[in-house]
Amino acid sequence: MNGVEPPPAVLVVSDPGGDRSEVPLAPLPFHIGRLAENQLALRDGRISRRHARIVFEEGAYTIEDLGSRHGLFVNGERVSRHRLRHGDRIGFGFPDSYELVFRLAGGAGSLLAQTEVPGSHLARLRAMLEVARALHASLSTEEVLATVVEAALAVTGCSRGFLLLWEGGRFQVRVARTRTGPLPGGAPRLPARQLERAALERRELFWIAPDAVGGGLAIPLVKVRTGGSGHTSAVSAATDTIGLLYMEGDGACEPPAGSRELLTTLALEASTVLENARLLEEQWVRQRMEQELRLAQRIQESLLPRRLPCAPWLRAAGGAIPSREVGGDYYELRRAGPDCFVLAIADVSGKGVGAALLAALLQGMFLAAPHTRVPVEELMARANRFLLERTGGEQYATVIYGQIEAGGRLRVVNAGHPPWLRLHGARLERHPARSLPLGLIEEACYVPEEVQLDAGDLLLFYTDGLTEARNQSGELFGLRRLEDVVAGRRPEGAQELYDEVLAALDSFTGGVSQSDDIALMALEFGPERQPSRKALDGGEGDA
C-alpha cells in the first residue's frame, strides 16, 4: 500500500430484486464472487466462485478480474484491471444480475481535497467532472446534491457547504458537508436573516460578511423549466427561489477569479436535479394512484349486478357509466321472495374513490334488506342514521328504494332523487321526491309512495348524471328530452327502453366526456308479451 492509508470506501450492492445495501471495502484485498468465504458473496450461479478483487495501490482503489468465465465490466465496458473512481458501476455481464457502485465514504470530493488546492484551476475542473459523472451514474438524488455541494467547496475554497431548501416558511438543510465528507454533528446555526435576504434579492452571488457565526457565500437555487428541445433555463420570478447553495468559512471565502460561471452552473444543475426529482415523485404518485383506481374500479364492477334478475311478471335492464375510473352511483334489483323484488338506485355526493366507498356501504345495507323483512320506511331511516354517524353530515346520498310485488303493488321512497318515470299505456307519469336525501338530518322522515301497477307498465329509474349530461355546446340533456324518448317512441319492453335512452344520450352528447356518473335501470311489469304475428313471420316479406 506504499504507506498510504486507504480512505474509507463502500460498495453499494443492488440485487436482481431491486434491494440495495452498502458493504464496507475492508479488509483488503477485497474478494468478490460466489463462494461464501469472499468478502462479498453474490448468489448468482453465473458469477465465478472468485470473480474479482479490489486492492489499494499507488493511492487508489483498483479492481481486477480473477479469470472469471463471463468477464468483469466497469461502466458497461469489459476490463481486466481498472482504477476505480467515485460512482463507477461494476457489473458481471448480465442485465438481470447484481450491480455494484463504488463510493468513497467522503463522496467525490474527499480525495480531491487531499490532493489539490481548493479553488485552483485543476480543482475546479476536477469538481465539474465529478458533477458530470454523478449526474450520469448516480443512483440517488442525495448523492448528486452532495457532489454538487462538494464541487462548490472545491471551487470556492470554503470549509463548509450547505444545500438549503425553502420549506414550511423557512430554510431546511438538505445537505451539509465539508471538503472531506459529511459535516460532523449535522448543520450548525446559520445566519437565517442574511440567507432569507439572499433568497429575496436573487443575486447570482450574495456575500455574507463574517459575524459571530462566520461569513459565507450564497448562490440562489431557482425553479427551472425544460423546453420542448430539452433546453433547461431558470425561471426569473423572485418568488420562484426554491433554496440556496451556501458556502461558509471561518474567514473570507470569496470565489477565485473565473469561478462565477462555474458556481452559477452548479446552482442550475442542483435546481435541475431537484426539479427532476419532483417530477419523478409526481410520476410515481400518479402511477400509484392509477393502480389504486384500477383496483377500485375492478372491485366496484364486481359489486354491481352483472345481470338483473327477472320473473314471468317482471323484466329488467340496467347499467352504470362512471365519469372517472370509479363512481358513486349504484343500482340494484334483488329477489325478496317468490312474489317480491326490492329495487334501489343511489347517487352519493362527490366523485371518485370516496363516493365509491360510500356507495359500497349503502349497497351492503340494501343487499341485506331482503333477508330482514324490514319495511321500506324503516330501512331508509336506518340508512339515514348510518350515513350521519359515518360522515357527520358532510356527505349525503339521494336514493330510491322500493318493493314491487307480483300483484302490482309498488311501495317506494324517493329520498331527494330525480323523479322516476312510469309509462302507463299512453300516459307518462312523473314521480318526484317526497323525502330528504339520506345523511342530511337525523329527524328526516321517509314516507313511501304506493302505486298500483298494471300489465305493460314501464318504469325508468336513473341518476342525475343522465339529465345533466352535456353536449359540445354545453346544453343539458334534460328531463324533458328524457320524457320525450320514453313516451315518444313507445318502447315495447325494459331492454328496448334502456337501449333507446342510451342511444339518445350518445347521439346528444356526441362522445363528450361527462363530469358526473350515470346509472340507469328500466323495469317492465306484467306477463311476458307474446311475439307479434309479424315478428313470427319474419316481417312483411317480398311483394
Side-chain angles (χ1 to χ4, degrees):
M1 295 187 185
N2 300 326
V4 178
E5 186 69 22
V10 298
L11 290 177
V12 180
V13 182
S14 299
D15 66 22
D19 294 331
R20 295 196 309 173
S21 59
E22 286 192 1
V23 179
L25 268 180
L28 295 172
F30 187 91
H31 287 87
I32 303 168
R34 200 171 70 242
L35 291 177
E37 55 262 31
N38 290 306
Q39 280 78 15
L40 178 59
L42 304 176
R43 297 181 179 179
D44 187 328
R46 298 167 296 180
I47 295 175
S48 298
R49 292 179 297 172
R50 287 189 176 272
H51 200 105
R53 71 170 184 171
I54 297 177
V55 297
F56 188 77
E57 296 176 350
E58 299 179 357
Y61 285 98
T62 300
I63 190 167
E64 301 173 339
D65 189 340
L66 297 179
S68 63
R69 181 172 51 179
H70 296 289
L72 177 69
F73 294 78
V74 177
N75 298 326
E77 297 183 2
R78 185 164 183 168
V79 299
S80 58
R81 180 180 174 87
H82 180 83
R83 186 168 180 171
L84 291 172
R85 299 289 304 275
H86 179 81
D88 277 348
R89 293 173 289 111
I90 303 167
F92 305 95
F94 315 107
D96 55 347
S97 185
Y98 290 84
E99 182 178 77
L100 317 179
V101 176
F102 173 76
R103 293 180 59 182
L104 293 165
S110 57
L111 287 183
L112 289 176
Q114 298 172 13
T115 59
E116 292 155 4
V117 177
S120 67
H121 291 296
L122 183 58
R124 296 199 300 256
L125 177 59
R126 184 70 64 82
M128 297 307 293
L129 288 174
E130 291 297 345
V131 171
R133 178 185 292 272
L135 288 171
H136 173 71
S138 177
L139 297 175
S140 70
T141 300
E142 296 299 328
E143 183 177 337
V144 176
L145 294 178
T147 305
V148 168
V149 172
E150 291 178 347
L153 289 172
V155 169
T156 61
C158 292
S159 56
R160 295 177 296 278
F162 307 91
L163 190 141
L164 311 169
L165 296 184
W166 185 256
E167 297 174 344
R170 64 191 183 95
F171 280 115
Q172 306 279 354
V173 177
R174 180 76 175 264
V175 177
R177 303 186 74 82
T178 67
R179 289 198 299 270
T180 59
L183 187 67
R189 184 168 64 91
L190 300 177
R193 288 187 179 180
Q194 292 93 325
L195 293 175
E196 291 177 12
R197 182 183 169 194
L200 182 63
E201 294 192 9
R202 278 288 312 281
R203 293 185 233 159
E204 287 186 354
L205 299 177
F206 188 95
W207 169 246
I208 297 177
D211 58 9
V213 296
L217 189 69
I219 307 103
L221 306 179
V222 298
K223 287 184 180 178
V224 296
R225 58 171 173 245
T226 301
S229 63
H231 175 69
T232 300
S233 60
V235 177
S236 60
T239 56
D240 287 323
T241 300
I242 60 174
L244 293 171
L245 267 176
Y246 177 54
M247 304 295 110
E248 186 177 77
D250 299 323
C253 63
E254 298 184 61
S259 299
R260 180 181 295 270
E261 293 79 6
L262 292 180
L263 290 172
T264 302
T265 300
L266 286 172
L268 182 59
E269 292 294 353
S271 302
T272 304
V273 168
L274 291 168
E275 177 65 10
N276 289 340
R278 182 188 68 81
L279 294 174
L280 185 60
E281 178 64 24
E282 289 181 356
Q283 181 181 354
W284 285 342
V285 169
R286 284 196 302 270
Q287 289 175 347
R288 288 196 298 267
M289 181 62 69
E290 289 171 358
Q291 292 173 353
E292 292 172 0
L293 287 175
R294 284 194 294 269
L295 176 60
Q297 182 184 29
R298 289 196 295 269
I299 293 174
Q300 187 181 36
E301 288 175 350
S302 69
L303 293 175
L304 292 173
R306 296 192 177 187
R307 185 176 180 182
L308 294 176
C310 63
W313 53 274
L314 186 69
R315 287 153 302 284
I321 307 171
S323 62
R324 301 182 181 181
E325 286 81 353
V326 291
D329 287 9
Y330 157 72
Y331 70 98
E332 186 71 72
L333 181 69
R334 203 167 186 83
R335 280 190 180 273
D339 297 320
C340 182
F341 281 87
V342 294
L343 63 93
I345 188 165
D347 185 359
V348 176
S349 62
K351 302 178 184 67
V353 175
L357 290 174
L358 200 55
L361 289 175
L362 282 176
Q363 182 182 19
M365 292 194 65
F366 292 137
L367 287 176
H371 306 286
T372 60
R373 296 291 184 177
V374 176
V376 171
E377 56 271 30
E378 175 60 25
L379 179 71
M380 294 294 279
R382 291 183 185 181
N384 182 55
R385 292 192 296 270
F386 175 82
L387 283 187
L388 276 170
E389 289 172 359
R390 282 153 181 80
T391 68
E394 294 183 359
Q395 272 191 289
Y396 64 90
T398 65
V399 178
I400 291 178
Y401 180 77
Q403 295 174 345
I404 182 170
E405 299 173 355
R409 181 178 181 233
L410 172 65
R411 298 184 78 243
V412 61
V413 171
N414 187 337
H417 206 76
W420 59 277
L421 304 178
R422 176 194 183 194
L423 185 60
H424 178 62
R427 186 173 75 253
L428 181 65
E429 298 175 357
R430 182 189 297 181
H431 294 260
R434 296 185 178 183
S435 304
L436 292 174
L438 301 182
L440 285 182
I441 61 174
E442 188 174 357
E443 298 79 11
C445 184
Y446 299 96
V447 179
E449 176 186 6
E450 294 200 12
V451 178
Q452 181 61 44
L453 301 177
D454 293 331
D457 281 359
L458 289 172
L459 311 179
L460 185 67
F461 304 90
Y462 55 93
T463 57
D464 60 7
L466 176 63
T467 53
E468 294 178 2
R470 296 180 181 272
N471 60 15
Q472 294 179 348
S473 301
E475 182 185 2
L476 292 174
F477 187 70
L479 180 57
R480 182 61 59 84
R481 186 175 277 102
L482 176 62
E483 290 177 336
D484 290 343
V485 173
V486 175
R489 301 184 185 181
R490 307 297 297 272
E492 294 188 357
Q495 186 64 53
E496 184 177 341
L497 174 58
Y498 175 79
D499 292 340
E500 287 189 359
V501 171
L502 286 187
L505 177 67
D506 186 62
S507 175
F508 173 79
T509 60
V512 174
S513 60
Q514 301 302 312
S515 60
D516 199 4
D517 313 317
I518 297 173
L520 181 65
M521 182 167 61
L523 304 179
E524 179 189 8
F525 175 76
E528 293 187 61
R529 300 169 185 258
Q530 296 298 320
S532 66
R533 185 69 183 175
K534 175 181 176 181
L536 291 173
D537 292 340
E540 296 288 347
D542 295 331

